[in-house]
Amino acid sequence: MTSSKVCVVMVSGSRERLQMAAMVASVAAVSGREVLVFLSMNALPYFVKGMSTDAAAEGKLGSLMEHKNAPDFKTLFEQAVSLGEAKLYPCSMAMDVLAVGPDDLEPYLGEPTGLTRFLDAARDGQVWTF
Amino acid sequence: MPGKTVVDARGSFCPGPLMELIAALKSCQVGDELEVLSTDRGSANDIPEWVRKVGHEHLATHVEAGVWHITVRKAK
């Protein structure tokens, strides 16, 4: 089994990108890979408690997915944590912009993290950006 | 005596059936068999691949009326 670390930088709020990022993170995590996810920009609001997860589609696939029984991206991210021990870090800058604190975020997220710490953690891993 | 669990993931798209299998594996004993029912063609390929990769045992796959039956044994 490979030990290569998978680092996901999630900045988009589009349904396709959120879904693909969640698929990569969850499958990598349950396959024994170390997975770090950095949630920033338009992706972070979906992880504020009580916020809608109805992400807008970019194109045809995103629209089609709405009517298919694909697991939703938040469930996949949560499973990445619960079944695969992935770590999801909310971007501290995006939290400041949204004016939210750690208690406002989903409980399976890790501690607020800045780019300096995330880049250091991601230094020896693959980086996937969505 | 080892048990057999059916994981009914029909109608779910990738990676739903795989994640449902993994969740079910958590509550099974070593030696137990699990049969995943899936209508997702990609999962029929992905699940045996994942099972081999993480060290469980893929026992059989067959398709019946558009439903894949993927049987695995929890090995660790």
Side-chain angles (χ1 to χ4, degrees):
Chain A
M1 187 179 299
T2 178
S3 60
S4 170
K5 189 188 300 180
V6 173
C7 305
V8 176
V9 180
M10 185 70 245
V11 295
S12 170
S14 85
R15 178 181 300 148
E16 291 92 330
R17 290 172 193 270
L18 286 159
Q19 187 75 17
M20 196 67 225
M23 290 166 67
V24 169
S26 57
V27 174
V30 299
S31 298
R33 305 281 287 272
E34 184 179 357
V35 175
L36 310 177
V37 180
F38 188 64
L39 298 165
S40 189
M41 300 296 179
N42 294 324
L44 187 62
Y46 295 104
F47 295 87
V48 176
K49 289 176 192 167
M51 288 287 283
S52 166
T53 56
D54 189 17
E58 281 184 5
K60 184 176 181 179
L61 262 290
S63 300
L64 286 171
M65 269 189 339
E66 190 177 5
H67 307 292
K68 304 287 185 183
N69 189 24
D72 76 83
F73 67 86
K74 280 185 77 172
T75 299
L76 286 173
F77 276 123
E78 188 169 6
Q79 288 176 328
V81 174
S82 63
L83 299 176
E85 299 177 9
K87 293 187 170 52
L88 275 55
Y89 295 111
C91 167
S92 50
M93 179 279 292
M95 289 177 65
D96 287 345
V97 172
L98 287 171
V100 295
D103 292 343
D104 298 315
L105 301 175
E106 297 291 0
Y108 50 87
L109 266 57
E111 62 183 13
T113 298
L115 263 180
T116 303
R117 188 190 295 176
F118 185 79
L119 288 173
D120 189 52
R123 187 170 43 190
D124 55 348
Q126 299 176 344
V127 177
W128 300 63
T129 304
F130 294 92
Chain B
M1 183 176 170
K4 184 165 185 176
T5 301
V6 174
V7 180
D8 189 350
R10 287 175 293 180
S12 180
F13 281 76
C14 175
L18 173 63
M19 302 308 281
E20 290 189 38
L21 167 65
I22 293 166
L25 276 165
K26 292 262 182 191
S27 56
C28 286
Q29 305 295 315
V30 171
D32 283 355
E33 289 184 15
L34 299 93
E35 182 179 10
V36 182
L37 309 184
S38 173
T39 47
D40 178 56
R41 184 187 297 269
S43 295
N45 295 324
D46 260 11
I47 287 175
E49 179 73 23
W50 178 86
V51 165
R52 278 191 291 273
K53 185 178 176 64
V54 302
H56 296 302
E57 200 176 340
H58 174 226
L59 300 177
T61 295
H62 72 276
V63 62
E64 200 175 302
V67 178
W68 278 269
H69 297 245
I70 308 147
T71 307
V72 307
R73 179 182 289 128
K74 180 169 177 166
K76 60 181 188 178

